[in-house]
Amino acid sequence: MSAQERLTDALYGLGWGTVKKLPEPVAVRLGRTIADLAWKQRGKGVRRLESNYARVVPDASPQRLAELSRAGMRSYLRYWMESFRLPAWSAERVKGGFEPKDLHYLTDGLAAGNGVVLALPHLANWDLAGAWVTTKLETPFTTVAERLKPETLYDRFVAYREGLGMEVLPHSGGTAFGTLARRLRDGGLVCLVADRDLSASGVEVEFFGDTARMPAGPALLAQQTGALLLPVTLWYDGSPVMRGQIHPPIEVPETGSRAEKTSVMTQALADAFATGIAEHPEDWHMLQRLWLADLEPRPSAADGRDGERP
């Protein structure tokens, strides 16, 4: 393990070990202070966040984009402060911490017994929504987690989410899809964060007027198992309670090849995500490159290319 990896692991360990013990008002102020300091430094993540917001709000002035990125960093740090504290929250605090609209899409889908796939973008706090599902609805679910480095950090995240009642599968290894499909065929619930996929297997979609790539997994699982596919978007409204919207089911097209059906369904997911993100852009925590145009090299004066666009 490198020195950087040890430092990263130690910082996350400090967060889960110390922040969760702070009184909630203190944790809120701490998160806002860290967010404002990071925003003022205008590091790579903040600049990328602002660039992504420029696509979501194309007519925003530079001042408006700066305001959005500041609000975005505050929202992002609220996510982290909540996540570090979630293991210490009482069941009643978790139950009162989230209010979703149109919950009947989920409860009716589960009652039908064919399984449900919830697909979410990186909006607000998906871990809190998951804890609410396992606590308020008393419904366990299965998700996947990206393999992080160092391995000890990945283990921390798995232990954290399992402590909230989730079954967590590693994203790598090729066995996750089969396990997810079995859970759905048994009538279970699967939750997947699904707004960014830079792998070769991602599906190209139109997203805020340009091409991005999103994972095929949610659509493929719905096709292969008969499970209901529901987009979910989340947001903060200035209160201690997170809000959410469960969108209408995405149907499997009656005609077309598997790839064609997957493309249509993933585009429908992207459209639902775009609706929620456009309404609450500051709660979209996308601090990485997403659109394919941002990943492509461009010419330079020296040799015609100068690497990725900023």
Side-chain angles (χ1 to χ4, degrees):
M1 187 188 305
S2 69
Q4 180 62 45
E5 288 175 342
R6 286 196 297 271
L7 176 60
T8 300
D9 183 58
L11 289 173
Y12 279 101
L14 180 65
W16 273 302
T18 302
V19 173
K20 71 178 181 181
K21 300 176 183 178
L22 297 175
E24 190 157 342
V26 175
V28 169
R29 288 196 300 272
L30 176 62
R32 177 162 292 201
T33 299
I34 295 172
D36 288 349
L37 286 172
W39 177 77
K40 289 177 181 177
Q41 291 175 355
R42 292 195 58 79
K44 182 178 179 181
V46 173
R47 296 195 307 273
R48 174 50 50 190
L49 183 67
E50 203 165 288
S51 176
N52 290 339
Y53 287 160
R55 290 182 180 270
V56 175
V57 191
D59 58 348
S61 65
Q63 180 180 356
R64 173 61 177 149
L65 286 176
E67 292 170 352
L68 270 177
S69 65
R70 184 177 189 181
M73 289 305 295
R74 288 182 172 184
S75 175
Y76 185 48
L77 263 295
R78 175 172 172 174
Y79 159 76
W80 278 113
M81 292 297 110
E82 287 179 347
S83 295
F84 287 143
R85 290 175 50 75
L86 263 176
W89 280 16
S90 67
E92 291 306 310
R93 177 69 179 86
V94 172
K95 291 177 183 179
F98 178 46
E99 290 186 1
K101 298 179 181 179
D102 293 324
L103 181 62
H104 64 92
Y105 287 126
L106 172 58
T107 54
D108 291 351
L110 290 172
N114 297 320
V116 175
V117 180
L118 295 180
L120 307 87
H122 287 80
L123 274 169
N125 192 338
W126 46 96
D127 286 326
L128 172 55
W132 185 89
V133 167
T134 61
T135 305
K136 176 74 173 182
L137 302 185
E138 298 182 344
T139 301
F141 66 87
T142 305
T143 188
V144 297
E146 181 183 357
R147 283 281 187 187
L148 301 172
K149 291 185 178 182
E151 190 75 13
T152 51
L153 180 57
Y154 170 77
D155 292 341
R156 286 187 191 276
F157 271 96
V158 170
Y160 157 63
R161 291 187 168 123
E162 288 180 342
L164 299 176
M166 312 175 192
E167 178 187 23
V168 183
L169 307 175
H171 189 271
S172 60
T175 61
F177 188 91
T179 302
L180 294 174
R182 287 194 295 274
R183 299 292 183 267
L184 292 168
R185 292 190 179 101
D186 290 339
L189 177 63
V190 165
C191 300
L192 301 170
V193 178
D195 59 343
R196 183 175 187 262
D197 187 344
L198 302 181
S199 71
S201 61
V203 178
E204 291 190 2
V205 296
E206 182 181 347
F207 197 55
F208 291 104
D210 210 340
T211 304
R213 194 177 287 130
M214 295 187 181
L220 287 172
L221 285 167
Q223 289 178 61
Q224 294 192 17
T225 68
L228 197 66
L229 175 55
L230 298 175
V232 180
T233 52
L234 310 171
W235 67 93
Y236 295 126
D237 64 358
S239 77
V241 180
M242 184 176 70
R243 313 295 172 177
Q245 174 71 57
I246 301 177
H247 297 259
I250 292 177
E251 304 292 341
V252 178
E254 294 183 0
T255 60
S257 65
R258 185 174 70 170
E260 290 169 339
K261 292 178 180 180
T262 300
S263 178
V264 170
M265 295 173 72
T266 306
Q267 182 63 61
L269 265 184
D271 293 343
F273 292 167
T275 298
I277 293 167
E279 291 175 351
H280 306 280
E282 68 277 6
D283 292 322
W284 189 40
H285 307 151
M286 185 56 65
L287 280 72
Q288 301 84 23
R289 299 174 190 270
L290 176 69
W291 283 272
L292 301 191
D294 292 335
L295 300 171
E296 295 170 355
R298 64 182 181 183
S300 72
D303 60 5
R305 312 185 77 81
D306 70 345
E308 294 182 343
R309 294 179 182 175

